[in-house]
Amino acid sequence: MPKSNFHFSKKLILWYLAHKRDLPWRTTAIPYYIWLSEIILQQTRVEQGLPYYQAFVNEYPTVDNLANASEEEVLKLWQGLGYYSRARNLHATAKYISNELNGVFPISYKELIKLKGVGDYTASAIASICFNEVTAVVDGNVYRALARYFGIFTPINTSLGTKEFKNLAQQLIDVDNPGDHNQALMEFGARQCKPQNPDCDTCIFNDSCIALQQKNISILPVKLKKTKVKNIYFNYIVLISKNEKTFLQKRIGKGIWQNLYEFPLIETEKDFNISELNSLPIFEDISRKFEIKSLVLYNEIPILHKLSHRNIYTRFWIAETSINNDEAISISQIESYPVPKLIGNFITTFFKLKEYGQKQKK
């Protein structure tokens, strides 16, 4: 390692040892716990992910325990965290490790990256923290810290940028202490070199940061604009019968919320009123199948749920129905099903907080 890089790493690790947060996965080098934490923290803030990590560790203390769970149980525990493909991949990989590898994690980056749901970042984190392999992590925090410190304008979401930052991170890594170095750089980006309004006055690198010297903190790192976000409209038909039954269906295919449950859905490209909704063939099919007697709009203002590639505007329609067949479920059982956060919030408000009961009395 060049002398300048050596001092960068040592200075960084000293900062980390003094400022690192007390997090449960930092007290262990057991691969299962490191893997679990890294999957949960992908595209998730520590504050949001920590309760989920603790819940998973309590419910599934070993990879074999996780492997023996059903996918629905895993999705239910994951509910509200988003990006549900992570949960499905987590479960699939747990089963592979338990059944094919006798519960033993691969010990090298080369083998770890072959696991489902494990990319360069996660494989590097596990390999360096658990097995002391000299392989650098590069996540959003690392991109930001390195782009600013070295004044790099290569867009981070291009193949050229990915390669450039990975090579730089690899040059900087402390070969004697790769795990702490990687965690230090990630923590530095998360707590010191923050996306907005970083405290450059107290930064340990403020005497050598190129972005600070050139007043480019606010524009680095560079990221190319994504494809335009699409607006879509979800109309959920919440079926309710006099014998307190309702209906949920599982989302299938490769779209969002795969294998989670939802109320019958009418998806449109524009906002519909009740007469327009009633005239749609898909609503006619739902109405005929479930013998809908009346339809009332629950929320006048659509609920906005933002995803990376689309804005979902959602309305819930309460439908009185004669449903009473094998497909119906008891309202008392509705919270046992894994559902998207959007629907989970509605269930909590409408059913759990007794709005449903109040409406029934009127």
Side-chain angles (χ1 to χ4, degrees), residues 16-81:
Y16 172 68
L17 295 175
H19 296 88
K20 67 178 180 178
R21 288 167 288 185
D22 182 17
L23 300 171
W25 50 85
R26 289 196 174 143
T27 62
T28 180
I30 296 174
Y32 172 64
Y33 295 129
I34 302 302
W35 167 68
L36 183 61
S37 70
E38 294 298 344
I39 298 300
I40 287 174
L41 293 177
Q42 288 174 5
Q43 298 173 299
T44 300
R45 301 186 320 276
V46 168
E47 294 76 13
Q48 183 188 11
L50 179 56
Y52 285 89
Y53 173 83
Q54 293 169 328
F56 268 87
V57 168
N58 291 335
E59 188 71 22
Y60 310 118
T62 70
V63 70
D64 293 324
N65 295 142
L66 179 56
N68 291 330
S70 70
E71 185 182 82
E72 279 197 12
E73 289 171 328
V74 173
L75 287 171
K76 182 61 182 177
L77 199 58
W78 192 275
Q79 184 173 306
L81 195 54

Side-chain angles (χ1 to χ4, degrees), residues 220-250:
L220 289 175
V222 174
K223 193 172 185 179
L224 297 182
K225 290 184 178 180
K226 296 181 179 179
T227 307
K228 185 178 179 181
V229 176
K230 180 181 179 182
N231 293 333
I232 57 174
Y233 298 84
F234 278 11
N235 295 275
Y236 282 116
I237 312 301
V238 183
L239 300 156
I240 298 176
S241 68
K242 289 184 178 179
N243 61 345
E244 298 196 343
K245 298 274 189 170
T246 187
F247 179 80
L248 292 175
Q249 60 193 20
K250 181 183 280 192

Side-chain angles (χ1 to χ4, degrees), residues 185-196:
L185 191 50
M186 290 186 288
E187 187 81 339
F188 182 80
R191 303 195 70 193
Q192 182 69 47
C193 198
K194 299 182 292 186
Q196 304 297 327

Side-chain angles (χ1 to χ4, degrees), residues 210-324:
I210 294 177
L212 180 60
Q213 293 170 356
Q214 299 180 352
K215 301 185 181 340
N216 288 326
I217 292 291
S218 62
I219 62 176
L220 289 175
V222 174
K223 193 172 185 179
L224 297 182
K225 290 184 178 180
K226 296 181 179 179
T227 307
K228 185 178 179 181
V229 176
K230 180 181 179 182
N231 293 333
I232 57 174
Y233 298 84
F234 278 11
N235 295 275
Y236 282 116
I237 312 301
V238 183
L239 300 156
I240 298 176
S241 68
K242 289 184 178 179
N243 61 345
E244 298 196 343
K245 298 274 189 170
T246 187
F247 179 80
L248 292 175
Q249 60 193 20
K250 181 183 280 192
R251 289 183 66 95
I252 57 176
K254 297 296 182 181
I256 61 169
W257 303 332
Q258 180 184 345
N259 293 345
L260 297 182
Y261 286 82
E262 65 183 358
F263 299 105
L265 170 65
I266 298 175
E267 181 178 337
T268 62
E269 293 185 354
K270 67 171 188 168
D271 199 8
F272 277 16
N273 60 35
I274 191 166
S275 60
E276 292 171 323
L277 195 70
N278 273 318
S279 67
L280 294 175
I282 186 173
F283 178 77
E284 293 176 2
D285 292 341
I286 293 173
S287 181
R288 191 180 308 110
K289 178 179 179 180
F290 295 105
E291 301 178 23
I292 291 177
K293 306 298 183 185
S294 66
L295 188 69
V296 178
L297 178 60
Y298 174 72
N299 55 310
E300 289 285 348
I301 301 175
I303 299 167
L304 174 58
H305 187 79
K306 292 187 176 184
L307 300 176
S308 58
H309 57 300
R310 67 187 71 180
N311 293 324
I312 301 175
Y313 293 87
T314 302
R315 281 197 169 106
F316 292 91
W317 301 81
I318 312 305
E320 181 186 349
T321 174
S322 300
I323 179 175
N324 187 21

